[in-house]
Structures are given as structure tokens and as C-alpha cells.
Amino acid sequence: MKKSIKVAKNSGFCFGVRRAIEIAEKTVKPNKKIFSLGPLIHNPQEVKRLENIGIKKIENTKSLKNKVLILRTHGIPHGLKEKLKIQNLVIVDATCPFVKRAQDIVEKLAKAKKKILIVGEKKHPEIKALVSYGGSHCYVVEQSSDLKNLDLSGDICVVSQTTQSPQNFKNFVSIIKKINPQAAIYNTICKATIDRQTAAKELSKKVDVMVVVGGKNSGNTKRLAQICSKFTKTYYVETALEIKPQWFKKTKNIGISAGASTPDWIIKEVRKKIEENVNKQGAGNG
Ligand code: F3S
């Protein structure tokens, strides 16, 4: 049986991640480390590669002085930048412009004394930073049950995590609009997320099995896997080492998709491993 292996369009690095890595690579100098507060992107293997060229991840900046600190794509909480400058750190800001846009919107709404609901993951660094711009009337909702104890009346504005699934955001909006039709909606989902999710969804409808590749700590990869699993059998892997031959035994069409922080070299390794497994099973691939 001739098997086909297809990689979904727009898989892998998005504009914001590519930009952050380019900024970091341009900033690092031979024999001179630079530091990132938390992992620069949510992909442990790529973070390791960056570490090997001198970009070191740190968990806090307490003992860091007179060094170069790069700010990652998810951004940092309001006010932290000023604190970091006092430590004489040279700040290189690689916050994704789409994340910055969401921060600016939330800040503006907070100044206008609006009540703000952010649809997103409470523990995600982007959301923690976003909340810091939202003032005391800012709430994060992750599941529809989170809406139960909230007062949704009055001047309410709804904003999204940049990597939310559009469908999930739409579901929240429709519940909120039923309660408060005047609620103002700010869809801050970035285009890269929409494109990736659309392509993964379309491919997963056509294949017998999907392999979604990305960091297990990557929210957007997790969402890709959730979307694909609605349409076909889906496996979520971080590297080619996790690929199992039995996944492809009774399959004809195999799809691959990858999160916005998954480097091309990992996608290629995964594809190669799948091809090897398929070939071992005595068939070619297209
Ligand atoms: Fe930015 Fe969207 Fe990527 S917010 S980091 S372009 S997934």
C-alpha cells in the first residue's frame, strides 16, 4: 500500500519566534553570553541549541548585573522592565509585536476603567504579563465554568491570548454576549495562530493519523494537538525519538503539523523517522 506523508502548511516557526531568535543570534557575541528570563521560546531542544551558542536561560534576575538580558516573545509584566534597568542590565526586547498589541489594548482599557476578561491559560507567561497591564478589574477565564462567579454586567471588554483557538474564543464570546450584549470584543488572536490551526485542521480531516510536533510546554502546540484529535487519531511528540512504528501500521495517509516554536530541524527529523518506519513496513511514501 502506497502511503503518503504530508506536512501541514504554516507548520513550525511563526513570525514572532523567528524574529526573537534572529534578535538573540545577532546579539550574542563570541565568548560573551546573553541571558533570557525564562526560556526564549517554548521548545526545550531549540533552547538547548541556543544555550550552546551562548544564550542562557535564567529563572530570575536577582544576581544579574551589567549583563545583556533578552526579553522573550511572551513579554514581561508591566513595571519589570524599569526594575531591570535599575540593575544596569542592557535590555533587548524580543516581545512579539502581536503580544505587545494585546498588552497595549489591555492597558488602554484599564486606563478607561473597563472591566476586562482575558480568555487564556492562567499560568501562561503571556497571560501573567497581560494581567499586569489590566489593573484590578481584570480576570482570566480558561473554561466556561470560570464565568459562573463573575459579574458580567456593565462596561465589559473581552480580550484573547494571542494563541487561543478561534473556536474557543468564539464560544466564550457567545456565552458572554447572551448575558451582556453590550460586551466589547477585542480579538487579539494572531494571524500565525489562525493560519497554523486552520492548516492543521484541514490536513487532519484528510489523513488517518496526525503527528503534532512541539515542546510539551508549548500552549499553541497543545492546542494544535487538541484540534487535530477532533478529526483523526493524533500523537503529540516533542522529538523524533518518541515516534512508534505501530502508529503507522494500518494507515495510508499520515499528516504532520508543528507548533509556532518548533524549529524546522525537528520537523525534518520527525518526518525522516516516520518515513523510515513506513519504509520498513514495506511501502513507499509520497
Ligand atoms: Fe507572536 Fe503569534 Fe508567534 S503572538 S510569537 S506571531 S504565535
Side-chain angles (χ1 to χ4, degrees), residues 254-270:
I254 299 153
I256 300 172
S257 168
S261 45
T262 310
D264 272 357
W265 60 271
I266 295 186
I267 303 173
K268 280 186 188 137
E269 281 178 7
V270 166

Side-chain angles (χ1 to χ4, degrees), residues 14-17 73-74 96-99 126 162-163 190-193 196 220 260:
C14 62
F15 153 77
V17 166
T73 50
H74 305 306
C96 175
F98 295 109
V99 172
E126 179 195 337
T162 54
T163 55
C190 80
K191 188 174 176 301
T193 295
R196 239 160 230 76
N220 78 83

Side-chain angles (χ1 to χ4, degrees), residues 19 73-75 81 93 95-107 126 130 133 162:
R19 176 179 172 271
T73 50
H74 305 306
K81 224 187 222 182
D93 194 351
T95 305
C96 175
F98 295 109
V99 172
K100 184 78 185 61
R101 177 178 164 259
Q103 290 175 349
D104 292 345
I105 289 173
V106 169
E107 188 173 27
E126 179 195 337
L130 211 50
Y133 286 85
T162 54

Side-chain angles (χ1 to χ4, degrees), residues 34-61:
I34 65 168
F35 296 84
S36 82
L37 185 53
L40 187 64
I41 60 167
H42 277 161
N43 187 278
Q45 293 72 28
E46 181 67 5
V47 168
K48 183 89 198 120
R49 185 191 75 80
L50 293 170
E51 201 176 314
N52 290 339
I53 60 166
I55 301 156
K56 189 171 163 41
K57 175 192 83 161
I58 49 167
E59 293 309 329
N60 66 66
T61 57

Side-chain angles (χ1 to χ4, degrees), residues 124 136 264:
H124 195 283
S136 52
D264 272 357

